[in-house]
Amino acid sequence: MESGKEDSGLKRELYSVIEPYSSGFLKVSDLHTIYWEQSGNPDGHPVVFLHGGPGGGTSPTNRRFFDPEFYRIILFDQRGAGKSTPHACLKENTTWDLIDDIEKLREHLKIPEWQVFGGSWGSTLALAYSQSHPDKVTGLVLRGIFLLRKKEIDWFYEGGAAAIYPDAWEPFRDLIPENERECFINAYNKRLNCDDLETQYAAARAWTKWEMMTAHLIPNDDNIKKGDDDYFSLAFARIENHYFSNKGFFPSDSYLLDNIDKIRHIDATIVQGRYDVVCPMMSAWDVHKVWPEADFKVVKDAGHSANEPGITAELVAANERLKNKIKAGR
């Protein structure tokens, strides 16, 4: 199960820096417009990248997990995130709205079906989208599985992970008065949605830094600095909190696990850092148990981030495996 024991001939490093060959904005509702871009091979096999958060947005590095000669690489910023507008907006912003947006983007780009790649919240959305549209997905690569169950939210936001990162936890905790600490999700929700912008920014910075300080096995200063960017932090914190407050808008705590049968036929790889504190391995393990057909790669020396060397290597290799299977089937 631990990674690195097979497929040693596959490429395991990020591809070279590339620029988009096209980009644009797609109006997906009367309120929301999403940013999208395409890079790689215009005639290649389509793959869509689903970013984390929700609210995290995409970055140029995200293009580099895929062979640009083989793949037509589609990135987009989910509602309220990145370059999408309106910024940090919570209205008409649910999992089901995002699933509809993915379909609208696929149709806008005239793509019959595509590979889906997502980590953290992106894995949540990838599972939900695939279960809603299983006939449109040619393959799945999932990282840092997050099922948005109560025990996962409680672990990270109500004090569980503080046992490992007490130094990072205390600034997050201390922003909230003691009499409101029975539920940090609710306490932050109040501040992230109040009328005072400075109160919103202070809460957003604390929320974002907590996650960024715990995302790598070895702390990454560049990642942590994202918490100082008020524009990024506000979208990241507000949208995450909105989704977590609403239990991901799923009808039940076990919704994604209960619907694995709908996607069991899809060729999939799950990549999980052994020491992931943000999305602990218990969730990937639960998916593995109900979906043993999916390749399950545990990276023994990694935490949560896709940019850790072992995680990156397995994600690139997973795309290479799917690429080779598609080539062999032509």
Side-chain angles (χ1 to χ4, degrees):
M1 192 195 328
E2 301 284 8
S3 67
K5 296 180 180 177
E6 58 179 306
D7 300 326
S8 57
L10 293 176
K11 179 178 172 64
R12 290 177 173 271
E13 295 176 352
L14 290 175
Y15 280 91
S16 298
V17 173
I18 53 171
E19 296 298 324
Y21 63 79
S22 71
S23 63
F25 290 89
L26 178 64
K27 193 165 182 60
V28 289
S29 77
D30 290 341
L31 178 61
H32 286 277
T33 299
I34 61 170
Y35 168 78
W36 60 267
E37 63 173 53
Q38 298 187 92
S39 56
N41 182 353
D43 299 314
H45 187 80
V47 58
V48 62
F49 181 99
L50 304 182
H51 68 69
T58 56
S59 68
T61 306
N62 302 151
R63 306 167 193 147
R64 300 178 60 197
F65 290 102
F66 314 95
D67 179 352
E69 294 185 5
F70 178 82
Y71 280 110
R72 176 183 175 185
I73 306 158
I74 297 102
L75 272 58
F76 76 97
D77 291 332
Q78 295 159 29
R79 294 190 181 200
K83 297 176 185 177
S84 295
T85 60
H87 179 69
C89 179
L90 306 183
K91 293 178 182 176
E92 299 175 19
N93 199 338
T94 74
T95 304
W96 311 109
D97 290 318
L98 300 186
I99 289 171
D100 287 346
D101 292 351
I102 297 170
E103 276 296 275
K104 287 172 183 172
L105 181 59
R106 184 186 62 77
E107 291 168 359
H108 176 71
L109 298 176
K110 297 179 171 57
I111 294 171
E113 56 184 12
W114 51 9
Q115 185 173 315
V116 178
F117 180 107
S120 194
W121 158 257
S123 77
T124 320
L125 185 57
L127 287 167
Y129 170 75
S130 301
Q131 291 172 2
S132 298
H133 300 281
D135 58 325
K136 301 295 188 278
V137 180
T138 63
L140 275 168
V141 177
L142 308 171
R143 185 265 310 168
I145 295 291
F146 180 43
L147 302 176
L148 235 157
R149 297 173 295 179
K150 183 179 185 300
K151 66 181 180 180
E152 297 169 56
I153 300 296
D154 287 350
W155 158 259
F156 194 65
Y157 292 103
E158 303 298 342
I164 300 171
Y165 284 96
D167 50 340
W169 170 257
E170 287 185 5
F172 175 84
R173 178 198 67 189
D174 292 349
L175 186 85
I176 305 301
E178 287 190 24
N179 64 348
E180 291 185 61
R181 292 180 186 172
E182 70 280 356
C183 182
F184 285 95
I185 294 286
N186 290 346
Y188 270 88
N189 184 274
K190 174 181 169 183
R191 286 156 180 81
L192 290 165
N193 295 286
C194 73
D195 293 331
D196 181 65
L197 190 58
E198 284 307 312
T199 300
Q200 287 186 33
Y201 281 145
R205 286 192 293 267
W207 178 284
T208 304
K209 282 194 172 184
W210 163 237
E211 183 162 337
M212 298 304 164
M213 290 177 76
T214 56
H216 291 73
L217 183 62
I218 299 172
N220 181 291
D221 289 340
D222 289 340
N223 206 49
I224 293 167
K225 285 176 185 174
K226 289 180 180 178
D228 294 323
D229 180 341
D230 286 341
Y231 187 85
F232 172 84
S233 290
L234 189 63
F236 186 76
R238 285 192 83 208
I239 297 172
E240 275 200 342
N241 181 278
H242 168 66
Y243 274 72
F244 302 166
S245 296
N246 288 283
K247 303 177 176 63
F249 304 93
F250 292 120
S252 71
D253 206 44
S254 59
Y255 177 82
L256 294 173
L257 289 173
D258 292 342
N259 284 278
I260 289 293
D261 276 350
K262 294 178 180 176
I263 58 172
R264 194 173 298 280
H265 64 286
I266 297 174
D267 200 334
T269 298
I270 297 165
V271 178
Q272 178 68 38
R274 169 69 73 179
Y275 300 107
D276 189 336
V277 172
V278 181
C279 297
M281 187 173 145
M282 63 179 175
S283 298
W285 186 250
D286 288 343
V287 173
H288 169 62
K289 286 193 292 185
V290 298
W291 195 12
E293 297 90 349
D295 282 344
F296 186 45
K297 305 290 185 180
V298 179
V299 183
K300 62 185 178 182
D301 56 354
H304 180 66
S305 175
N307 298 318
E308 294 180 80
I311 302 280
T312 295
E314 287 297 343
L315 292 173
V316 173
N319 287 324
E320 292 291 291
R321 280 191 290 272
L322 285 173
K323 177 184 83 173
N324 291 339
K325 287 181 181 180
I326 294 165
K327 281 183 167 182
R330 286 177 174 171

